[in-house]
Amino acid sequence: MQTNARLSLATLPRAAAAARRPAIDPHRLGVGIVHLGCGAFHRAHQAMHVQRAIEAAGGDWGIAAASLRGEAVPASLLPQDGLYSVLERDADGARLSVNAVLREVIGPTRLAAAAAAIARPATRIVSLTVTEKGYCHDPASGELDEAHPDIRADLVPGAVARSAPGLLVAGLAARRAAGLGGLAILSCDNLPENGETTRRIVLRMAALRDPALAAWIAGEVDFPCSMVDRIVPATTEGDRAQVATLLGLSDEACVVTESFSQWVVEDAFRAGRPALELGGATLVADVRPFERMKLRLLNAAHSTIACLGYLAGHETVAAAIAAPGFARLVERLWDEAAPTLSLPAGTDLAAYRMRLLARFANPHLAHRTWQIAMDGTQKLPQRLLGTIRDNLAAGRPVDVAALGVAAWMRYARGIDERGGRIDIRDPLAGELAARAAGPPEERVDALLGMSRVFGEDLRGHEGLRALLGSWLGRLEREGAAAVVRAAARA
Ligand code: CS2
């Protein structure tokens, strides 16, 4: 069998005609953005919007992308000169595009170079997709976790920063020392008020180093909020094989996604920005209504489907949503969340919900329930607990959101319905394992006692405790599939 040549600047002209080539000259593209966290989501989302913006309006908005932890992504991108392809797969068919905006790739052993890149005069934006846990914060309060081992390590004088807050502060300190002006730090993670949260964390981290630095950052740096939305499962060997066939070149850094992509960005970039509005993004003054709608509808449903679906034996979201009761249960969850939203002007909620269900059902994406169930302690507060708090305060029902939380409590026990071990990935996995081991009634109290996740208020709520205990008991006795079917009928 003939092996394909590898995608790179030199081989790009040989890419199959059906693949969309970047309409920019990567050789002449200067870097204006430093990005932390070069995972599949960044490559499928922000990097594609930025490429379209540059194609439409030009500008030196190439990206220097740093991978904070994994070696695999930089190792796959470096031999490809930062080039990779994005395969969109859904009911509309399959479309392949090549992205060429990653002009520098920095691996986890060279993170000093990432801080140095933040301190270059040409850098005007530092963006992040480091996932919820990358912010090293307490998810319930949104405050920096000062006891976090990575934060402590980064605060040791002379240390090379490795955490996202540490890198941002190191880069900003170098910028200030060089006499440069401020820039914008743009969070692209699924956190509530992600810009504000990033600002709080960065200012605290800076203050622990040098209060004068914190004051400089407060005056010089913008922290726009943004809502990001695109479903991007982890890439598989099968995906790489399909891309190689379509592209006519092998591509170890390709990503697979849907055609849908949404990016709503607060327009606060004092040092300038790409023409994002020409790159498919929406620039607004207030992102909060968009963000809450997305977290409490899409992501809340995702986390609920992930835990219940995994327990019921479904490997992917598409398989789960096709199983009896799941789609109806998700609709009920959205009915509960709806009164807690203040919708962006002009939103057609029914159409948005219908679209979400279609996206979940996309049979061409294998989005694993296990992948979404990861890091539950970091995700629950903004996805489900906010809805529960608002509805409890207003005297409205919380049945289905509570089932979502109970499903996570069942999942966190680490044993599936056939007695097999669940590979629990969570930054608080040790504490979870200790608290999730007991019988259902004790487990609810033990887990609600994790104030970093649940705050101080929810464990005192008798009605909620009883509801969680009842769902958890049913999940243990009847199994997830039966509980979903019954809850869907209620
Ligand atoms: C998912 C998200 O993994 C997860 O937790 O809920 O990554 C989701 O696919 C994206 O937020 C969609 O925009």
Side-chain angles (χ1 to χ4, degrees), residues 190 228-231 294 298-299 302 367 371-372 379 383:
N190 288 311
V228 295
D229 189 6
R230 191 166 216 194
I231 292 176
K294 194 253 171 173
L298 187 154
N299 294 112
H302 249 180
H367 201 187
Q371 186 187 347
I372 300 168
K379 295 174 176 172
R383 296 182 177 203

Side-chain angles (χ1 to χ4, degrees), residues 281-303:
T282 309
L283 278 296
V284 300
D286 185 5
V287 172
R288 282 171 300 188
F290 296 90
E291 156 218 294
R292 180 176 281 200
M293 175 171 82
K294 194 253 171 173
L295 288 169
R296 293 190 179 186
L297 298 182
L298 187 154
N299 294 112
H302 249 180
S303 287

Side-chain angles (χ1 to χ4, degrees), residues 326-353:
F326 273 87
R328 178 72 199 115
L329 185 76
V330 164
E331 293 274 16
R332 289 199 58 216
L333 178 67
W334 292 340
D335 290 342
E336 262 181 37
T340 76
L341 307 175
S342 57
L343 293 178
T347 305
D348 178 344
L349 187 59
Y352 182 82
R353 288 170 51 152

